[in-house]
Amino acid sequence: MSKEKPYLSQLKKCSDKELVKIVTVEVHKYEPEAVQVAEDELSRRNISKLQMANLVKDVAQDNDAVKEIQDYVSSSGVRFVNFSIDFIVFLLLVLIASLALDSVFVTSNNDLLMAIGYGMIILIFLAYYGLSEYFFQKTAGKYVTKTIVVTEQGNKPDGKTILIRSLCRLIPFDRLSYLVTKNGFHDRFSNTRVVKEQE
């Protein structure tokens, strides 16, 4: 049996939090042998699942990379500003389209007018968000807040992803979902994120 390297025995003197850091966020900094020693030591200490979960959470919150990602993702406040600006732009587009339609289309059939009106609103809604985010990765609101839409891998979303994202905006209460979480329904179901635009 080979003799244990001196620095490996030092790992056994580390605190629970230091050991958790070694086997999670800093695993890439250590040799596999050292990581195994840390894992064995954690097992030997009989740490409860709840304690382990809290340790992992603390380590993740202290990690610079995790902090950077959290700071990079847009906050709920930014999302609200995006929504407010986009809603105003959307209302202006609907108003312009309504005036244009009213000048060329005349009918006394109220049901037909309602159907055309609702159809036009949905079409403008999907076109505004879909085309803006497909071609530019941003809407008017995102231009102001300097944010863009990306996939979970950080890439530009393709047409199918943007279509799913746009359709999911029609889900009732979608607009309120990002007030309680950074990723609303249309983010979650399309596997996209709104992040700060890199300089």
Side-chain angles (χ1 to χ4, degrees):
M1 185 174 175
S2 61
K3 188 176 179 183
E4 191 178 72
K5 295 176 183 176
Y7 81 91
L8 293 179
S9 60
Q10 291 295 318
L11 290 176
K12 294 180 180 179
K13 298 177 183 177
C14 291
S15 67
D16 294 345
K17 187 173 179 179
E18 289 170 333
L19 290 173
V20 168
K21 187 181 290 186
I22 291 168
V23 301
T24 55
V25 297
E26 292 186 354
V27 69
H28 61 285
K29 296 180 180 179
Y30 293 86
E31 295 176 8
E33 191 179 1
V35 174
Q36 187 60 53
V37 169
E39 287 177 350
D40 293 343
E41 181 61 22
L42 282 170
S43 297
R44 190 187 65 76
R45 293 183 185 184
N46 294 321
I47 300 170
S48 71
K49 290 182 180 178
L50 180 59
Q51 288 175 313
M52 183 61 76
N54 287 330
L55 285 168
V56 171
K57 182 180 175 184
D58 290 344
V59 166
Q61 287 176 341
D62 291 345
N63 185 256
D64 290 338
V66 174
K67 284 180 181 177
E68 188 177 332
I69 291 169
Q70 288 174 340
D71 290 341
Y72 191 69
V73 175
S74 293
S75 67
S76 295
V78 170
R79 301 300 296 274
F80 181 74
V81 172
N82 287 349
F83 162 71
S84 300
I85 294 170
D86 289 334
F87 187 67
I88 292 169
V89 172
F90 167 69
L91 287 179
L92 288 173
L93 291 173
V94 169
L95 178 62
I96 292 168
S98 297
L99 292 173
L101 184 66
D102 190 45
S103 66
V104 296
F105 187 76
V106 179
T107 181
S108 58
N109 187 334
N110 286 337
D111 291 336
L112 179 61
L113 279 175
M114 289 284 283
I116 292 173
Y118 283 125
M120 181 187 69
I121 288 171
I122 292 172
L123 186 64
I124 291 171
F125 182 86
L126 293 175
Y128 172 66
Y129 284 101
L131 295 176
S132 297
E133 292 184 342
Y134 177 72
F135 288 109
F136 309 109
Q137 290 181 261
K138 55 175 68 179
T139 57
K142 294 179 187 69
Y143 268 106
V144 174
T145 59
K146 295 183 179 178
T147 54
I148 59 171
V149 179
V150 296
T151 64
E152 289 183 331
Q153 293 74 37
N155 302 318
K156 181 179 179 179
D158 58 18
K160 180 182 176 183
T161 301
I162 292 298
L163 178 61
I164 293 170
R165 181 178 166 84
S166 299
L167 290 172
C168 286
R169 290 178 187 276
L170 299 173
I171 297 173
F173 306 114
D174 171 70
R175 297 298 179 178
L176 300 177
S177 63
Y178 62 81
L179 293 177
V180 293
T181 178
K182 285 185 177 180
N183 301 311
F185 294 150
H186 60 271
D187 297 315
R188 190 172 304 137
F189 297 139
S190 63
N191 297 317
T192 56
R193 298 288 178 266
V194 173
V195 300
K196 294 176 184 176
E197 190 172 20
Q198 293 178 324
E199 296 295 333

